[in-house]
Amino acid sequence: MKYSLPYIFLLMLAVACKPTVPSQYIQPGEMENILYDYHVAQAMSDNPGLGNAEIRKVEYIHAVLEKHGVSEADFDSSLVYYYSHADRLKEIYVRVSDRLSNEAKSLGAAVGDINRYSQYSATGDTANIWNLAPDILLIPRATQNRYEFKVPVDTAFYLGDSFMFQFVSEFLYQNGSKDAVVCLVTKYEGDSIIQTVNHISMPGISQIRVPANKENKLKDLRGYIYLTDGGDVSDTRKLMYISQIQLIRFHNKVIQKADEAVKKDSIQADSLQRVDDAGGAMPDTLRRRVIGRRPGGTPLRPRTGDAPDRVDTRAVELKKVQ
């Protein structure tokens, strides 16, 4: 295929203008491989039959860095750089997450609850209504440690709906305790509020459930995910990557049908009352029609004299015909 000279020039210009990672830091491709091995090593160190988990994690991480010929100081300084360019780090983690998921499937791991609802669209009795960011990268620094969201509530929400917020998380921590706070706030008619809070400290699938409200319909649904520093304020490697986010809405058909029946009875009762009221207005309407109206709509008053509409109160005398 032949390309014109201007097209080749624009392509070269686009490549040249794309910002690159400075050479003193680990490049994106190599950082992806290191992080992939890092999380595999973390998963292996969680095996309870291999001794102290914390010691194993340190040993496994050192083994990963040694495998790639990278010192711990170079790894940490590179992470500091990527912290300041979170969009690049997020792109790396998207690829790492896909590799980890594919590797787990190839080894025969169960699909799990996270994929059970992936087939559902945004409609139906069971629906995935999440249409916001598909993945989130959090770092325990100001402006980077909190993700807030609000889900639009429309006519597709019914009385008795319940919800489940779920996602897959990966942690990269050098010091401090892993701790992320997940909060969902649901506001209902009558201004009643339910706040559901959960703490996440382990990688893998996390689920937060909001039970059904059988008395009031949902008006507002919002929440946030907040990553704490784990009690360690030092500038060491600490991050949380969240992917495969889903917010599942479940319709309760029993409560929904009962609510529709109540609304139907209310409409019928209101309709009967309106018919009764209309019947009471009939005599006044008939009276006005007998009297008549001027062209402008003003009622006409009865006239005196021999006009057809005159009322004669004298007795009528009947004569016998001979």
Side-chain angles (χ1 to χ4, degrees), residues 192-256:
S192 61
I193 296 176
I194 295 178
Q195 180 172 285
T196 306
V197 180
N198 200 359
H199 287 258
I200 309 298
S201 60
M202 296 292 293
I205 300 174
S206 298
Q207 295 180 337
I208 297 92
R209 295 179 179 269
V210 178
N213 189 319
K214 301 179 181 180
E215 298 179 356
N216 298 301
K217 189 177 178 181
L218 183 70
K219 287 176 55 179
D220 187 86
L221 196 165
R222 63 184 68 203
Y224 65 84
I225 305 174
Y226 170 68
L227 181 63
T228 72
D229 58 17
D232 177 70
V233 295
S234 63
D235 194 14
T236 57
R237 66 177 94 109
K238 290 190 288 284
L239 66 83
M240 179 184 186
Y241 177 68
I242 301 170
S243 62
Q244 302 184 56
I245 304 173
Q246 297 176 345
L247 180 60
I248 311 301
R249 181 195 60 210
F250 303 94
H251 285 330
N252 190 314
K253 301 299 291 183
V254 176
I255 298 177
Q256 183 180 339

Short mmCIF file of all heavy atoms in Angstrom, two decimals, residues 192-256:
data_model
loop_
_atom_site.label_atom_id
_atom_site.label_comp_id
_atom_site.label_asym_id
_atom_site.label_seq_id
_atom_site.Cartn_x
_atom_site.Cartn_y
_atom_site.Cartn_z
N SER A 192 -35.76 9.93 53.41
CA SER A 192 -35.06 8.91 54.20
C SER A 192 -33.77 8.52 53.46
O SER A 192 -33.74 8.47 52.22
CB SER A 192 -35.94 7.68 54.41
OG SER A 192 -36.28 7.09 53.18
N ILE A 193 -32.69 8.26 54.21
CA ILE A 193 -31.38 8.00 53.64
C ILE A 193 -30.80 6.72 54.24
O ILE A 193 -30.90 6.49 55.45
CB ILE A 193 -30.42 9.18 53.90
CG1 ILE A 193 -30.92 10.45 53.19
CG2 ILE A 193 -29.01 8.84 53.42
CD1 ILE A 193 -30.07 11.67 53.48
N ILE A 194 -30.21 5.90 53.37
CA ILE A 194 -29.48 4.71 53.82
C ILE A 194 -28.03 4.85 53.35
O ILE A 194 -27.77 5.08 52.17
CB ILE A 194 -30.09 3.42 53.25
CG1 ILE A 194 -31.51 3.21 53.80
CG2 ILE A 194 -29.21 2.21 53.60
CD1 ILE A 194 -32.19 1.97 53.24
N GLN A 195 -27.09 4.75 54.27
CA GLN A 195 -25.67 4.83 53.95
C GLN A 195 -25.02 3.47 54.21
O GLN A 195 -25.04 2.97 55.32
CB GLN A 195 -24.99 5.92 54.78
CG GLN A 195 -23.50 6.07 54.49
CD GLN A 195 -22.90 7.28 55.18
OE1 GLN A 195 -23.09 8.40 54.77
NE2 GLN A 195 -22.15 7.04 56.25
N THR A 196 -24.45 2.89 53.16
CA THR A 196 -23.81 1.58 53.25
C THR A 196 -22.31 1.76 53.09
O THR A 196 -21.84 2.29 52.07
CB THR A 196 -24.35 0.64 52.16
OG1 THR A 196 -25.78 0.59 52.23
CG2 THR A 196 -23.80 -0.76 52.35
N VAL A 197 -21.52 1.33 54.07
CA VAL A 197 -20.07 1.53 54.09
C VAL A 197 -19.37 0.19 54.23
O VAL A 197 -19.81 -0.67 55.01
CB VAL A 197 -19.65 2.48 55.22
CG1 VAL A 197 -18.13 2.68 55.21
CG2 VAL A 197 -20.36 3.81 55.10
N ASN A 198 -18.29 0.01 53.49
CA ASN A 198 -17.49 -1.21 53.58
C ASN A 198 -16.01 -0.86 53.44
O ASN A 198 -15.65 0.10 52.77
CB ASN A 198 -17.90 -2.20 52.50
CG ASN A 198 -17.48 -3.62 52.82
OD1 ASN A 198 -16.87 -3.88 53.86
ND2 ASN A 198 -17.80 -4.56 51.95
N HIS A 199 -15.14 -1.63 54.09
CA HIS A 199 -13.70 -1.44 54.01
C HIS A 199 -13.10 -2.56 53.17
O HIS A 199 -13.42 -3.73 53.37
CB HIS A 199 -13.06 -1.42 55.40
CG HIS A 199 -13.34 -0.18 56.17
ND1 HIS A 199 -12.42 0.84 56.32
CD2 HIS A 199 -14.45 0.24 56.83
CE1 HIS A 199 -12.93 1.80 57.05
NE2 HIS A 199 -14.17 1.46 57.37
N ILE A 200 -12.20 -2.20 52.25
CA ILE A 200 -11.54 -3.16 51.37
C ILE A 200 -10.05 -3.18 51.72
O ILE A 200 -9.39 -2.14 51.70
CB ILE A 200 -11.71 -2.79 49.89
CG1 ILE A 200 -13.20 -2.55 49.58
CG2 ILE A 200 -11.12 -3.86 49.00
CD1 ILE A 200 -14.07 -3.73 49.78
N SER A 201 -9.54 -4.35 52.05
CA SER A 201 -8.13 -4.46 52.41
C SER A 201 -7.43 -5.63 51.71
O SER A 201 -6.24 -5.84 51.92
CB SER A 201 -7.98 -4.63 53.92
OG SER A 201 -8.66 -5.79 54.37
N MET A 202 -8.16 -6.36 50.90
CA MET A 202 -7.60 -7.52 50.19
C MET A 202 -7.87 -7.39 48.70
O MET A 202 -8.90 -6.86 48.28
CB MET A 202 -8.22 -8.81 50.71
CG MET A 202 -7.93 -9.11 52.17
SD MET A 202 -6.20 -9.51 52.47
CE MET A 202 -6.07 -11.07 51.59
N PRO A 203 -6.94 -7.86 47.86
CA PRO A 203 -7.19 -7.85 46.41
C PRO A 203 -8.25 -8.87 46.04
O PRO A 203 -8.56 -9.77 46.80
CB PRO A 203 -5.82 -8.21 45.83
CG PRO A 203 -5.16 -9.02 46.90
CD PRO A 203 -5.62 -8.43 48.20
N GLY A 204 -8.80 -8.69 44.84
CA GLY A 204 -9.82 -9.63 44.37
C GLY A 204 -11.17 -8.95 44.23
O GLY A 204 -11.27 -7.72 44.11
N ILE A 205 -12.22 -9.76 44.25
CA ILE A 205 -13.59 -9.27 44.07
C ILE A 205 -14.13 -8.71 45.37
O ILE A 205 -14.02 -9.34 46.42
CB ILE A 205 -14.51 -10.40 43.56
CG1 ILE A 205 -14.00 -10.93 42.23
CG2 ILE A 205 -15.93 -9.90 43.40
CD1 ILE A 205 -14.77 -12.14 41.73
N SER A 206 -14.73 -7.52 45.30
CA SER A 206 -15.40 -6.90 46.44
C SER A 206 -16.84 -6.60 46.06
O SER A 206 -17.11 -6.17 44.92
CB SER A 206 -14.69 -5.61 46.86
OG SER A 206 -13.37 -5.87 47.27
N GLN A 207 -17.76 -6.81 46.98
CA GLN A 207 -19.18 -6.58 46.74
C GLN A 207 -19.79 -5.81 47.91
O GLN A 207 -19.53 -6.13 49.06
CB GLN A 207 -19.93 -7.90 46.56
CG GLN A 207 -19.51 -8.69 45.33
CD GLN A 207 -20.28 -10.00 45.20
OE1 GLN A 207 -20.80 -10.52 46.18
NE2 GLN A 207 -20.36 -10.53 43.99
N ILE A 208 -20.58 -4.80 47.58
CA ILE A 208 -21.30 -4.00 48.58
C ILE A 208 -22.76 -4.02 48.17
O ILE A 208 -23.12 -3.64 47.05
CB ILE A 208 -20.77 -2.56 48.65
CG1 ILE A 208 -19.31 -2.55 49.09
CG2 ILE A 208 -21.61 -1.74 49.60
CD1 ILE A 208 -18.33 -2.58 47.94
N ARG A 209 -23.62 -4.44 49.07
CA ARG A 209 -25.04 -4.60 48.76
C ARG A 209 -25.89 -3.54 49.47
O ARG A 209 -25.63 -3.21 50.64
CB ARG A 209 -25.53 -6.00 49.15
CG ARG A 209 -24.88 -7.12 48.33
CD ARG A 209 -25.38 -8.49 48.76
NE ARG A 209 -24.78 -9.55 47.98
CZ ARG A 209 -25.33 -10.04 46.86
NH1 ARG A 209 -26.48 -9.55 46.42
NH2 ARG A 209 -24.74 -11.01 46.18
N VAL A 210 -26.91 -3.05 48.77
CA VAL A 210 -27.89 -2.12 49.33
C VAL A 210 -29.24 -2.83 49.31
O VAL A 210 -29.74 -3.16 48.23
CB VAL A 210 -27.97 -0.81 48.51
CG1 VAL A 210 -29.02 0.11 49.09
CG2 VAL A 210 -26.61 -0.13 48.48
N PRO A 211 -29.83 -3.10 50.48
CA PRO A 211 -31.10 -3.85 50.51
C PRO A 211 -32.26 -3.05 49.93
O PRO A 211 -32.17 -1.82 49.76
CB PRO A 211 -31.29 -4.12 52.01
CG PRO A 211 -30.55 -3.02 52.69
CD PRO A 211 -29.37 -2.71 51.82
N ALA A 212 -33.34 -3.76 49.65
CA ALA A 212 -34.53 -3.12 49.07
C ALA A 212 -35.26 -2.28 50.11
O ALA A 212 -35.33 -2.64 51.29
CB ALA A 212 -35.48 -4.19 48.52
N ASN A 213 -35.77 -1.14 49.67
CA ASN A 213 -36.65 -0.31 50.49
C ASN A 213 -38.08 -0.58 50.04
O ASN A 213 -38.47 -0.24 48.93
CB ASN A 213 -36.29 1.18 50.32
CG ASN A 213 -37.03 2.07 51.31
OD1 ASN A 213 -38.22 1.88 51.58
ND2 ASN A 213 -36.32 3.03 51.87
N LYS A 214 -38.87 -1.18 50.93
CA LYS A 214 -40.22 -1.62 50.56
C LYS A 214 -41.28 -0.53 50.71
O LYS A 214 -42.43 -0.75 50.35
CB LYS A 214 -40.61 -2.84 51.40
CG LYS A 214 -39.66 -4.03 51.24
CD LYS A 214 -40.09 -5.19 52.12
CE LYS A 214 -39.12 -6.36 51.99
NZ LYS A 214 -39.52 -7.50 52.83
N GLU A 215 -40.90 0.63 51.24
CA GLU A 215 -41.88 1.66 51.54
C GLU A 215 -41.73 2.91 50.69
O GLU A 215 -42.72 3.58 50.41
CB GLU A 215 -41.80 2.05 53.02
CG GLU A 215 -42.10 0.88 53.97
CD GLU A 215 -41.97 1.30 55.43
OE1 GLU A 215 -41.57 2.47 55.66
OE2 GLU A 215 -42.26 0.48 56.30
N ASN A 216 -40.50 3.23 50.27
CA ASN A 216 -40.27 4.48 49.53
C ASN A 216 -39.44 4.21 48.28
O ASN A 216 -38.56 3.35 48.28
CB ASN A 216 -39.54 5.50 50.42
CG ASN A 216 -40.36 5.88 51.64
OD1 ASN A 216 -41.48 6.37 51.52
ND2 ASN A 216 -39.81 5.65 52.82
N LYS A 217 -39.73 4.98 47.25
CA LYS A 217 -39.03 4.84 45.98
C LYS A 217 -37.73 5.65 46.00
O LYS A 217 -37.63 6.69 46.62
CB LYS A 217 -39.93 5.32 44.84
CG LYS A 217 -39.39 5.03 43.46
CD LYS A 217 -40.38 5.46 42.39
CE LYS A 217 -39.83 5.21 40.99
NZ LYS A 217 -40.77 5.65 39.94
N LEU A 218 -36.73 5.15 45.28
CA LEU A 218 -35.41 5.79 45.24
C LEU A 218 -35.48 7.13 44.50
O LEU A 218 -36.11 7.25 43.45
CB LEU A 218 -34.41 4.86 44.54
CG LEU A 218 -32.96 5.35 44.48
CD1 LEU A 218 -32.34 5.32 45.87
CD2 LEU A 218 -32.15 4.48 43.53
N LYS A 219 -34.80 8.15 45.07
CA LYS A 219 -34.69 9.46 44.45
C LYS A 219 -33.26 9.79 44.00
O LYS A 219 -33.07 10.48 43.01
CB LYS A 219 -35.15 10.55 45.42
CG LYS A 219 -36.64 10.61 45.66
CD LYS A 219 -36.97 11.66 46.72
CE LYS A 219 -36.41 13.01 46.37
NZ LYS A 219 -36.74 14.04 47.39
N ASP A 220 -32.26 9.30 44.74
CA ASP A 220 -30.89 9.70 44.47
C ASP A 220 -29.95 8.56 44.88
O ASP A 220 -30.16 7.92 45.91
CB ASP A 220 -30.56 10.96 45.26
CG ASP A 220 -29.20 11.54 44.90
OD1 ASP A 220 -29.13 12.31 43.93
OD2 ASP A 220 -28.20 11.21 45.58
N LEU A 221 -28.92 8.31 44.04
CA LEU A 221 -27.94 7.26 44.31
C LEU A 221 -26.55 7.81 43.99
O LEU A 221 -26.28 8.18 42.86
CB LEU A 221 -28.25 6.01 43.48
CG LEU A 221 -27.59 4.69 43.90
CD1 LEU A 221 -28.28 3.52 43.22
CD2 LEU A 221 -26.09 4.64 43.59
N ARG A 222 -25.70 7.85 45.00
CA ARG A 222 -24.35 8.34 44.80
C ARG A 222 -23.40 7.62 45.75
O ARG A 222 -23.85 6.89 46.64
CB ARG A 222 -24.27 9.86 45.01
CG ARG A 222 -24.64 10.32 46.42
CD ARG A 222 -24.63 11.84 46.48
NE ARG A 222 -25.72 12.39 45.68
CZ ARG A 222 -25.71 13.62 45.18
NH1 ARG A 222 -24.65 14.41 45.37
NH2 ARG A 222 -26.74 14.06 44.48
N GLY A 223 -22.09 7.85 45.59
CA GLY A 223 -21.14 7.19 46.48
C GLY A 223 -19.72 7.64 46.20
O GLY A 223 -19.47 8.54 45.39
N TYR A 224 -18.77 6.98 46.86
CA TYR A 224 -17.37 7.30 46.66
C TYR A 224 -16.50 6.12 47.07
O TYR A 224 -16.92 5.24 47.82
CB TYR A 224 -16.95 8.55 47.44
CG TYR A 224 -17.02 8.41 48.95
CD1 TYR A 224 -15.97 7.85 49.68
CD2 TYR A 224 -18.14 8.85 49.65
CE1 TYR A 224 -16.04 7.73 51.06
CE2 TYR A 224 -18.21 8.73 51.03
CZ TYR A 224 -17.16 8.17 51.73
OH TYR A 224 -17.22 8.04 53.10
N ILE A 225 -15.26 6.11 46.56
CA ILE A 225 -14.22 5.16 46.98
C ILE A 225 -13.03 6.00 47.44
O ILE A 225 -12.54 6.86 46.69
CB ILE A 225 -13.80 4.22 45.83
CG1 ILE A 225 -15.02 3.50 45.27
CG2 ILE A 225 -12.77 3.21 46.31
CD1 ILE A 225 -14.71 2.66 44.04
N TYR A 226 -12.57 5.75 48.65
CA TYR A 226 -11.50 6.56 49.24
C TYR A 226 -10.37 5.65 49.71
O TYR A 226 -10.59 4.70 50.46
CB TYR A 226 -12.06 7.38 50.41
CG TYR A 226 -11.00 8.07 51.25
CD1 TYR A 226 -10.26 9.12 50.72
CD2 TYR A 226 -10.76 7.67 52.55
CE1 TYR A 226 -9.29 9.76 51.48
CE2 TYR A 226 -9.79 8.31 53.32
CZ TYR A 226 -9.07 9.35 52.78
OH TYR A 226 -8.10 9.97 53.53
N LEU A 227 -9.15 5.93 49.24
CA LEU A 227 -7.99 5.14 49.62
C LEU A 227 -7.22 5.87 50.72
O LEU A 227 -6.75 7.00 50.51
CB LEU A 227 -7.08 4.91 48.42
CG LEU A 227 -5.83 4.06 48.68
CD1 LEU A 227 -6.21 2.65 49.09
CD2 LEU A 227 -4.93 4.05 47.45
N THR A 228 -7.08 5.25 51.89
CA THR A 228 -6.35 5.85 52.99
C THR A 228 -4.85 5.58 52.85
O THR A 228 -4.43 4.77 52.01
CB THR A 228 -6.83 5.29 54.34
OG1 THR A 228 -6.38 3.93 54.48
CG2 THR A 228 -8.36 5.30 54.41
N ASP A 229 -4.05 6.24 53.69
CA ASP A 229 -2.60 6.02 53.65
C ASP A 229 -2.18 4.83 54.52
O ASP A 229 -0.99 4.54 54.65
CB ASP A 229 -1.85 7.27 54.07
CG ASP A 229 -2.24 7.75 55.46
OD1 ASP A 229 -2.83 6.97 56.23
OD2 ASP A 229 -1.94 8.91 55.79
N GLY A 230 -3.14 4.16 55.15
CA GLY A 230 -2.84 2.98 55.96
C GLY A 230 -2.02 3.28 57.19
O GLY A 230 -1.33 2.39 57.72
N GLY A 231 -2.06 4.54 57.65
CA GLY A 231 -1.30 4.90 58.84
C GLY A 231 0.16 5.21 58.55
O GLY A 231 0.93 5.46 59.49
N ASP A 232 0.56 5.22 57.29
CA ASP A 232 1.94 5.52 56.93
C ASP A 232 1.94 6.72 55.98
O ASP A 232 1.42 6.64 54.86
CB ASP A 232 2.59 4.32 56.24
CG ASP A 232 4.01 4.62 55.79
OD1 ASP A 232 4.88 4.75 56.66
OD2 ASP A 232 4.22 4.73 54.56
N VAL A 233 2.50 7.83 56.44
CA VAL A 233 2.46 9.07 55.65
C VAL A 233 3.68 9.23 54.76
O VAL A 233 3.83 10.23 54.07
CB VAL A 233 2.34 10.30 56.58
CG1 VAL A 233 1.02 10.27 57.33
CG2 VAL A 233 3.51 10.37 57.56
N SER A 234 4.60 8.28 54.78
CA SER A 234 5.81 8.39 53.96
C SER A 234 5.46 8.22 52.49
O SER A 234 4.43 7.65 52.12
CB SER A 234 6.83 7.32 54.37
OG SER A 234 6.31 6.02 54.15
N ASP A 235 6.33 8.74 51.64
CA ASP A 235 6.10 8.71 50.19
C ASP A 235 6.65 7.42 49.60
O ASP A 235 7.59 7.40 48.82
CB ASP A 235 6.75 9.93 49.54
CG ASP A 235 6.27 10.14 48.12
OD1 ASP A 235 5.26 9.52 47.75
OD2 ASP A 235 6.90 10.92 47.39
N THR A 236 6.04 6.30 50.01
CA THR A 236 6.46 5.00 49.49
C THR A 236 5.40 4.47 48.54
O THR A 236 4.32 5.05 48.39
CB THR A 236 6.66 4.00 50.64
OG1 THR A 236 5.44 3.90 51.40
CG2 THR A 236 7.77 4.45 51.57
N ARG A 237 5.70 3.37 47.89
CA ARG A 237 4.77 2.83 46.90
C ARG A 237 3.48 2.38 47.56
O ARG A 237 3.45 1.48 48.39
CB ARG A 237 5.42 1.69 46.12
CG ARG A 237 5.74 0.46 46.93
CD ARG A 237 6.33 -0.64 46.05
NE ARG A 237 7.78 -0.60 46.04
CZ ARG A 237 8.53 -1.51 46.65
NH1 ARG A 237 7.97 -2.50 47.31
NH2 ARG A 237 9.84 -1.43 46.59
N LYS A 238 2.40 3.02 47.18
CA LYS A 238 1.06 2.68 47.67
C LYS A 238 0.07 3.07 46.58
O LYS A 238 -0.01 4.25 46.20
CB LYS A 238 0.72 3.41 48.97
CG LYS A 238 1.49 2.94 50.19
CD LYS A 238 0.94 3.54 51.47
CE LYS A 238 1.28 5.01 51.59
NZ LYS A 238 2.70 5.20 51.96
N LEU A 239 -0.69 2.12 46.07
CA LEU A 239 -1.72 2.43 45.10
C LEU A 239 -2.77 1.32 45.08
O LEU A 239 -2.52 0.20 45.54
CB LEU A 239 -1.15 2.67 43.70
CG LEU A 239 -0.48 1.51 42.94
CD1 LEU A 239 -1.49 0.63 42.23
CD2 LEU A 239 0.52 2.07 41.94
N MET A 240 -3.93 1.64 44.53
CA MET A 240 -5.02 0.68 44.37
C MET A 240 -5.60 0.85 42.98
O MET A 240 -5.96 1.97 42.57
CB MET A 240 -6.10 0.93 45.43
CG MET A 240 -7.30 0.01 45.34
SD MET A 240 -8.58 0.47 46.56
CE MET A 240 -9.76 -0.87 46.34
N TYR A 241 -5.68 -0.25 42.24
CA TYR A 241 -6.27 -0.22 40.91
C TYR A 241 -7.57 -1.00 40.94
O TYR A 241 -7.62 -2.15 41.39
CB TYR A 241 -5.32 -0.83 39.88
CG TYR A 241 -5.92 -0.89 38.49
CD1 TYR A 241 -6.15 0.28 37.77
CD2 TYR A 241 -6.26 -2.10 37.90
CE1 TYR A 241 -6.70 0.24 36.50
CE2 TYR A 241 -6.80 -2.15 36.62
CZ TYR A 241 -7.02 -0.97 35.94
OH TYR A 241 -7.58 -1.00 34.68
N ILE A 242 -8.65 -0.36 40.47
CA ILE A 242 -9.99 -0.94 40.50
C ILE A 242 -10.47 -1.11 39.06
O ILE A 242 -10.43 -0.16 38.27
CB ILE A 242 -10.96 -0.03 41.28
CG1 ILE A 242 -10.46 0.15 42.71
CG2 ILE A 242 -12.37 -0.61 41.27
CD1 ILE A 242 -11.21 1.22 43.47
N SER A 243 -10.94 -2.31 38.73
CA SER A 243 -11.40 -2.59 37.37
C SER A 243 -12.68 -3.41 37.42
O SER A 243 -13.13 -3.85 38.48
CB SER A 243 -10.31 -3.33 36.59
OG SER A 243 -10.02 -4.59 37.19
N GLN A 244 -13.29 -3.60 36.22
CA GLN A 244 -14.51 -4.39 36.05
C GLN A 244 -15.61 -3.93 37.01
O GLN A 244 -16.27 -4.74 37.68
CB GLN A 244 -14.21 -5.88 36.26
CG GLN A 244 -13.15 -6.42 35.33
CD GLN A 244 -12.93 -7.91 35.47
OE1 GLN A 244 -13.89 -8.68 35.33
NE2 GLN A 244 -11.71 -8.34 35.73
N ILE A 245 -15.80 -2.62 37.06
CA ILE A 245 -16.80 -2.04 37.97
C ILE A 245 -18.21 -2.32 37.42
O ILE A 245 -18.48 -2.13 36.24
CB ILE A 245 -16.58 -0.53 38.12
CG1 ILE A 245 -15.15 -0.25 38.60
CG2 ILE A 245 -17.60 0.07 39.10
CD1 ILE A 245 -14.80 1.22 38.62
N GLN A 246 -19.09 -2.74 38.31
CA GLN A 246 -20.49 -2.99 37.95
C GLN A 246 -21.40 -2.52 39.08
O GLN A 246 -21.05 -2.64 40.26
CB GLN A 246 -20.73 -4.49 37.71
CG GLN A 246 -19.95 -5.06 36.54
CD GLN A 246 -20.15 -6.56 36.39
OE1 GLN A 246 -20.64 -7.22 37.29
NE2 GLN A 246 -19.77 -7.11 35.25
N LEU A 247 -22.53 -1.98 38.70
CA LEU A 247 -23.59 -1.65 39.66
C LEU A 247 -24.86 -2.35 39.18
O LEU A 247 -25.47 -1.94 38.19
CB LEU A 247 -23.81 -0.13 39.75
CG LEU A 247 -24.90 0.33 40.72
CD1 LEU A 247 -24.59 -0.12 42.14
CD2 LEU A 247 -25.07 1.84 40.67
N ILE A 248 -25.21 -3.41 39.87
CA ILE A 248 -26.33 -4.26 39.45
C ILE A 248 -27.59 -3.83 40.19
O ILE A 248 -27.60 -3.70 41.42
CB ILE A 248 -26.03 -5.75 39.74
CG1 ILE A 248 -24.64 -6.13 39.21
CG2 ILE A 248 -27.10 -6.63 39.12
CD1 ILE A 248 -24.46 -5.91 37.74
N ARG A 249 -28.65 -3.61 39.41
CA ARG A 249 -29.96 -3.27 39.98
C ARG A 249 -30.89 -4.48 39.83
O ARG A 249 -31.00 -5.07 38.76
CB ARG A 249 -30.58 -2.07 39.25
CG ARG A 249 -31.94 -1.64 39.80
CD ARG A 249 -32.65 -0.74 38.82
NE ARG A 249 -32.88 -1.42 37.54
CZ ARG A 249 -32.92 -0.79 36.38
NH1 ARG A 249 -32.72 0.49 36.28
NH2 ARG A 249 -33.14 -1.49 35.25
N PHE A 250 -31.55 -4.85 40.94
CA PHE A 250 -32.48 -5.96 40.95
C PHE A 250 -33.89 -5.43 41.20
O PHE A 250 -34.15 -4.77 42.21
CB PHE A 250 -32.13 -6.97 42.05
CG PHE A 250 -30.72 -7.51 41.97
CD1 PHE A 250 -29.69 -6.92 42.69
CD2 PHE A 250 -30.43 -8.61 41.18
CE1 PHE A 250 -28.40 -7.41 42.63
CE2 PHE A 250 -29.13 -9.10 41.10
CZ PHE A 250 -28.12 -8.50 41.82
N HIS A 251 -34.81 -5.72 40.27
CA HIS A 251 -36.22 -5.40 40.48
C HIS A 251 -36.86 -6.50 41.35
O HIS A 251 -36.62 -7.69 41.13
CB HIS A 251 -36.98 -5.33 39.16
CG HIS A 251 -36.72 -4.09 38.37
ND1 HIS A 251 -36.41 -2.88 38.96
CD2 HIS A 251 -36.73 -3.86 37.03
CE1 HIS A 251 -36.25 -1.97 38.02
NE2 HIS A 251 -36.43 -2.54 36.84
N ASN A 252 -37.68 -6.09 42.31
CA ASN A 252 -38.45 -7.03 43.12
C ASN A 252 -39.87 -7.07 42.55
O ASN A 252 -40.66 -6.15 42.76
CB ASN A 252 -38.47 -6.58 44.58
CG ASN A 252 -39.06 -7.63 45.50
OD1 ASN A 252 -40.11 -8.21 45.22
ND2 ASN A 252 -38.40 -7.87 46.61
N LYS A 253 -40.19 -8.12 41.80
CA LYS A 253 -41.47 -8.19 41.10
C LYS A 253 -42.65 -8.23 42.06
O LYS A 253 -43.71 -7.67 41.76
CB LYS A 253 -41.49 -9.43 40.20
CG LYS A 253 -40.40 -9.45 39.15
CD LYS A 253 -40.50 -8.29 38.20
CE LYS A 253 -41.72 -8.37 37.30
NZ LYS A 253 -41.77 -7.26 36.33
N VAL A 254 -42.49 -8.86 43.21
CA VAL A 254 -43.59 -8.95 44.17
C VAL A 254 -43.95 -7.56 44.69
O VAL A 254 -45.12 -7.16 44.70
CB VAL A 254 -43.21 -9.89 45.34
CG1 VAL A 254 -44.32 -9.89 46.39
CG2 VAL A 254 -42.96 -11.30 44.82
N ILE A 255 -42.93 -6.80 45.13
CA ILE A 255 -43.18 -5.45 45.65
C ILE A 255 -43.67 -4.54 44.54
O ILE A 255 -44.57 -3.72 44.74
CB ILE A 255 -41.90 -4.89 46.28
CG1 ILE A 255 -41.47 -5.74 47.48
CG2 ILE A 255 -42.09 -3.44 46.71
CD1 ILE A 255 -40.18 -5.30 48.11
N GLN A 256 -43.13 -4.71 43.35
CA GLN A 256 -43.53 -3.87 42.22
C GLN A 256 -45.00 -4.08 41.87
O GLN A 256 -45.74 -3.11 41.65
CB GLN A 256 -42.65 -4.18 41.01
CG GLN A 256 -42.93 -3.30 39.80
CD GLN A 256 -42.03 -3.66 38.64
OE1 GLN A 256 -40.98 -4.27 38.80
NE2 GLN A 256 -42.44 -3.30 37.45
#
